Amino acid sequence: MTEMNRYYRDRAPVYDDVYSYPERQQDLRFLESHLSGALRDRHVLEVAAGTGYWTRHISGSARSILATDLEPAQLEQIHQRELGCSTETRVVDAYRLSGTIDDKFDGAFAGLWLSHVPKQRMAEFFSSLHQCLKPGARVILIDNSVAQCQRLPITFTDEWGNTFQDRQLDNGETYRVLKNFPTVEELEHWVSAFGDPEDYVELEQFWLYQYSRRI
Ligand SMILES: C[S@@+](CC[C@H](N)C(=O)[O-])C[C@H]1O[C@@H](n2cnc3c(N)ncnc32)[C@H](O)[C@@H]1O
């Protein structure tokens, strides 16, 4: 188990605290509103779903959701939420989606996940995701803007240019967690071989990138 995976296991009981930070509220309302219709009537594969904060908002209009994550303690919380469509949870490694999941989806979502993907594994992740999608599938990625560093400064940069934060939990333990802040040019570069851009929204605390899987 990596340090990041231990961190998310240990943080699961208090994970949702990040959604009550006052500086995030305005952006969260915008993103929730966008997600309430952007994947309407689609069968959605959610990557690194965590406790399902975004799952709930997508479920209001999606046809179905398969919510995946590597950490069972995070996924367990999803079914305690009020969900609007049929939602299954499954423990799946985001880098092995295609080897593990047989179905093909016409929608995909990943919230606050891409920032945890090492730059040198980006192609591996997108290839794994895109093999699970039908042509024309809509993909939505949401993540933190650099404003997040005001709470959690960058403490280390590796030889690939990946940045890391030292995060402490109430158990007193400190975890070094990879957290990148991709530019729109990087996002376009990573998906250009597979997808056509639909939307990019840069908010104060978050960004949203939406594209469709090329036919
Ligand atoms: C920042 S949380 C995001 C959770 C949720 N999507 C949200 O936005 O609230 C990152 C999630 O990635 C999961 N994760 C870490 N490594 C993973 C991997 N290799 N495959 C799938 N999920 C992973 C963690 O367990 C954690 O739930």
Side-chain angles (χ1 to χ4, degrees):
M1 181 180 276
T2 67
E3 192 162 347
M4 178 168 70
N5 295 129
R6 274 196 309 110
Y7 170 73
Y8 280 112
R9 178 198 62 196
D10 297 347
R11 190 179 152 198
V14 295
Y15 178 79
D16 283 0
D17 289 358
V18 291
Y19 291 111
S20 57
Y21 294 166
E23 72 273 20
R24 295 190 177 179
Q25 297 313 304
Q26 193 176 338
D27 288 1
L28 287 173
R29 298 299 86 77
F30 172 87
L31 295 169
E32 290 160 11
S33 161
H34 184 86
L35 285 180
S36 70
L39 294 168
R40 183 172 300 281
D41 292 333
R42 294 181 189 248
H43 293 289
V44 178
L45 172 60
E46 184 174 0
V47 180
T51 63
Y53 181 87
W54 303 108
T55 317
R56 178 168 66 94
H57 293 284
I58 295 165
S59 77
S61 65
R63 188 160 300 237
S64 71
I65 302 176
L66 174 60
T68 64
D69 198 284
L70 200 56
E71 180 44 56
Q74 295 263 343
L75 282 181
E76 271 164 24
Q77 299 184 41
I78 291 189
H79 290 291
Q80 290 156 26
R81 297 190 184 270
E82 232 176 80
L83 298 168
C85 71
S86 157
T87 302
E88 187 193 336
T89 54
R90 209 181 297 174
V91 175
V92 184
D93 186 334
Y95 300 100
R96 294 169 193 267
L97 296 164
S98 57
T100 319
I101 298 169
D102 292 331
D103 300 331
K104 298 278 186 224
F105 298 81
D106 56 4
F109 175 78
L112 281 61
W113 160 246
L114 211 67
S115 53
H116 291 310
V117 178
K119 291 172 192 274
Q120 68 275 22
R121 296 195 76 182
M122 226 24 112
E124 184 186 351
F125 163 64
F126 277 114
S127 160
S128 155
L129 172 65
H130 291 145
Q131 286 178 59
C132 295
L133 302 182
K134 293 179 181 171
R138 173 170 287 169
V139 182
I140 302 180
L141 307 168
I142 282 176
D143 222 309
N144 296 104
S145 73
V146 283
Q148 187 256 16
C149 296
Q150 284 165 8
R151 284 181 181 267
L152 294 164
I154 299 300
T155 48
F156 176 73
T157 303
D158 73 8
E159 71 271 27
W160 296 93
N162 297 300
T163 49
F164 294 77
Q165 298 170 331
D166 291 328
R167 302 185 179 187
Q168 195 171 27
L169 292 179
D170 285 349
N171 62 10
E173 211 180 318
T174 301
Y175 309 74
R176 180 156 283 185
V177 177
L178 184 151
K179 185 78 178 174
N180 286 326
F181 299 91
T183 62
V184 64
E185 289 78 17
E186 284 179 302
L187 294 168
E188 279 167 359
H189 170 71
W190 290 326
V191 307
S192 60
F194 313 90
D196 296 315
E198 289 184 345
D199 205 0
Y200 175 68
V201 184
E202 196 171 6
L203 304 169
E204 196 184 308
Q205 299 287 327
F206 297 93
W207 54 260
L208 176 150
Y209 188 67
Q210 183 173 309
Y211 66 95
S212 60
R213 170 88 165 92
R214 193 166 300 129
I215 295 175

